[in-house]
Amino acid sequence: MNYIKKQIEQLLKEKFSGVESEEFRNDVVRLKNGEPYEYVLGYFDFLNARIDLSFKPMIPRPETAFWVKRAIEELKTKTGNLRLADTFSGAGNVGVALLKNIPNATVDISELDPNLKAQIEKNILINDINPDRAKVIIASDIQGLTGKYDAIFAVPPYVPYEALPDLDPEMIEHEPPLAVFAHANGHAFHKILIEKAYDLLNEGGTLYMEADMDHNDAITKMVQGTKWSKLEFWPDPYGATPNVVLRR
């Protein structure tokens, strides 16, 4: 209950500037019913970008922002125009952050759920990004990507279905299962990316891919015998190394 109380106090300050309106009281009921704070607030700040959540995509995670920030810093050292892709994009938070922080980049933003196309387009608009720099694609995994990219970003579903009983009820009841679960012990989409992303990258290009902390051995085995020149595991904020970087 103390946790909910803190959320209510934070919401009153962040969304309602301290004014207890009827809308505020309705939002308090939503919080008490277990709806995630970010949905009730309506947005999530992600690497200098305001990400609207009104279409209820998967909520962006600070852990994702941690490694995407490092990737952005790496890409900003490159000269010339960059062509990037954000796959499994959900709200489009990774793609919008790339556009916001790398002015010489264009980004193809790909998402399977057609209902989220308007969400991604809204997030491009509210962040004052020239729409000519972004292309929103509705397609599974990397099927909608064409041509060559300097980098591909992927935050695919990677939770095994067997892990369902152990997950946070708030997540299961409110966030889209399509964005959470994957077959093959959580590796179905990692396998597709490892097998197919190489041919979509320019020479020297990079695949940045999120995984779970216990996936390293399985991913290392998937990469063995492929054309990738280098495999790296980047840390999360807690010292684990779940984030995968593959160099062409």
Side-chain angles (χ1 to χ4, degrees), residues 194-195 198-199 223-230 247-248:
I194 289 167
E195 290 178 351
Y198 183 94
D199 291 330
V223 173
Q224 288 174 353
T226 66
K227 295 182 286 186
W228 294 101
S229 67
K230 189 176 182 182
R247 314 281 185 185
R248 172 165 173 157

Side-chain angles (χ1 to χ4, degrees), residues 18-118:
V19 179
E20 295 191 14
S21 63
E22 185 65 27
E23 184 183 355
F24 166 71
R25 288 186 281 274
N26 291 336
D27 280 355
V28 169
V29 173
R30 293 169 65 187
L31 289 173
K32 289 181 176 179
N33 287 337
E35 189 170 346
Y37 178 83
E38 292 83 2
Y39 286 159
V40 179
L41 179 64
Y43 65 85
F44 186 92
D45 288 330
F46 189 91
L47 299 176
N48 302 320
R50 174 64 53 95
I51 303 300
D52 177 85
L53 301 174
S54 54
F55 290 75
K56 302 295 180 66
M58 188 170 183
I59 298 166
R61 268 40 179 193
E63 293 85 355
T64 301
F66 187 83
W67 68 262
V68 171
K69 181 180 179 181
R70 178 174 172 180
I72 286 171
E73 290 169 352
E74 187 172 85
L75 290 169
K76 286 171 78 172
T77 66
K78 297 181 179 292
T79 58
N81 295 327
L82 297 178
R83 186 168 187 251
L84 311 176
D86 167 27
T87 61
F88 306 91
S89 65
N93 49 290
V94 172
V96 171
L98 295 173
L99 290 161
K100 193 80 173 178
N101 291 282
I102 309 176
N104 57 323
T106 59
V107 184
D108 287 355
I109 304 176
S110 175
E111 164 57 37
L112 173 61
D113 185 353
N115 295 319
L116 292 181
K117 186 174 189 290

Side-chain angles (χ1 to χ4, degrees), residues 119-187:
Q119 177 73 92
I120 297 166
E121 290 172 341
K122 181 176 183 179
N123 282 322
I124 292 167
L125 179 66
I126 66 175
N127 283 282
D128 298 319
I129 293 166
N130 183 341
D132 292 340
R133 296 177 58 211
K135 179 181 178 183
V136 181
I137 302 163
I138 299 302
S140 179
D141 52 76
I142 58 174
Q143 292 179 19
L145 303 188
T146 57
K148 296 283 188 177
Y149 298 87
D150 297 293
I152 296 172
F153 287 73
V155 185
Y158 55 74
V159 176
Y161 284 91
E162 295 79 8
L164 177 61
D166 301 321
L167 296 181
D168 184 346
E170 183 182 271
M171 177 180 179
I172 297 306
E173 292 173 13
H174 294 279
E175 295 191 74
L178 188 68
V180 177
F181 296 104
H183 292 289
N185 293 319
H187 297 305

